[in-house]
Amino acid sequence: LADTKFTGYDTLHGTATIKAIVKKGARVDSLSLDEEGEIILDSTPFYAESGGQVGDVGYIDGVNGGAHISTTKAPAGKLICHSARVTKGALHVGDVVEAQVDTTARSATMNHHTATHLLQAALQDILGDHVHQAGSLVTPERLRFDFTHFEAIGGARLLDIERKVNQFIRTATPVTISQMALSDAKAAGAMALFGEKYSDVVRVVTVGAISMELCGGIHVPNSGVIGYFKITGASSISAGVRRIEAVCGEP
């Protein structure tokens, strides 16, 4: 199968053709009412799970049937799989469908992803330049950020971090996306995930003078959209690695 064309950074819906259907590990010609499987489209606005950000949810709808999409993944390169449960009629290979991302979930995910970048900037400002990302999870409901740090973080310091992120939010700083050579991005000071393999041309997400990171995820147009940031938990997950969990305000 050919790669799926991803159209979704700025698009939440689009017309596509079903190229393949997989059920229980085998290719099939169709899915009937209430059946579950993986649907592969020739193009999609759905963001596939990557870099700690969960995949989009939503639905696809055609003349013959429709399905709820519970998650989206890319298990093999740029071949994007939509985890589907048929909610009406039946879906067949070759059907033309309308793919629609759940806009509420997408907006909430965008909030939490940009807030994760702001959190890393705040941690470096308050704790020091030794702070680097060691893992993350971005969902519509919350964010989790793992980072290098050598000691526990007290309650007062956590409040300082929370206040700093909210200060960044209130600046309503535009978030810009650019493509550039990896060497140029590193020279400009873009943060990269340690151990991650990057292509020669990378996607750079910049929040004014606050943050610059290599990132393939989805983000708000400006920091003010996030609304509010609240730390809900802090813990240690291994020697020298801390974890902060947080939630953001409504989009």
Side-chain angles (χ1 to χ4, degrees):
L1 287 170
D3 291 344
T4 308
K5 180 182 178 182
F6 173 60
T7 63
Y9 283 122
D10 300 308
T11 307
L12 293 170
H13 60 85
T15 302
T17 301
I18 297 177
K19 302 298 289 184
I21 300 174
V22 178
K23 180 182 178 182
K24 296 181 179 178
R27 290 181 67 169
V28 297
D29 293 327
S30 64
L31 287 177
S32 300
L33 185 64
D34 290 330
E35 285 191 314
E36 297 181 353
E38 304 295 323
I39 293 179
I40 300 169
L41 304 173
D42 61 345
S43 64
T44 182
F46 285 74
Y47 178 89
E49 178 181 321
S50 180
Q53 180 182 313
V54 298
D56 277 329
V57 301
Y59 65 88
I60 59 175
D61 191 33
V63 173
N64 298 315
H68 173 255
I69 305 302
S70 59
T71 191
T72 310
K73 296 184 178 183
K78 295 182 180 180
L79 187 66
I80 298 176
C81 296
H82 307 76
S83 297
R85 180 178 66 83
V86 177
T87 55
K88 68 173 184 178
L91 292 170
H92 308 80
V93 173
D95 281 356
V96 175
V97 296
E98 182 73 14
Q100 175 66 58
V101 174
D102 183 317
T103 56
T104 299
R106 167 70 78 87
S107 294
T109 301
M110 291 166 67
N111 282 351
H112 285 99
H113 203 153
T114 305
T116 300
H117 287 211
L118 301 183
L119 172 59
Q120 175 158 292
L123 288 168
Q124 290 190 323
D125 281 355
I126 293 171
L127 300 181
D129 291 339
H130 64 279
V131 169
H132 292 286
Q133 180 178 337
S136 68
L137 175 68
V138 177
T139 79
E141 296 80 22
R142 65 190 181 98
L143 69 85
R144 186 183 73 211
F145 188 72
D146 301 337
F147 57 97
T148 53
H149 188 55
F150 46 81
E151 63 183 0
I153 305 171
R157 188 60 63 87
L158 284 173
L159 283 175
D160 289 341
I161 294 165
E162 185 177 283
R163 290 191 191 101
K164 189 69 173 180
V165 174
N166 282 304
Q167 288 174 5
F168 289 153
I169 290 171
R170 289 193 297 272
T171 63
T173 300
V175 178
T176 58
I177 310 293
S178 58
Q179 302 277 347
M180 64 177 69
L182 177 60
S183 57
D184 291 341
K186 289 183 175 180
M191 295 290 296
L193 183 60
F194 179 77
E196 184 79 4
K197 293 183 178 179
Y198 295 98
S199 61
D200 292 337
V201 178
V202 292
R203 187 169 181 266
V204 181
V205 177
T206 304
V207 189
I210 299 169
S211 170
M212 176 185 286
E213 295 191 35
L214 306 186
C215 180
I218 51 179
H219 291 272
V220 297
N222 76 78
S223 63
V225 174
I226 297 168
Y228 186 73
F229 173 89
K230 178 67 179 177
I231 293 176
T232 58
S235 60
S236 171
I237 62 169
S238 66
V241 179
R242 311 296 303 180
R243 169 173 291 173
I244 283 181
E245 297 176 83
V247 296
C248 296
E250 291 292 327

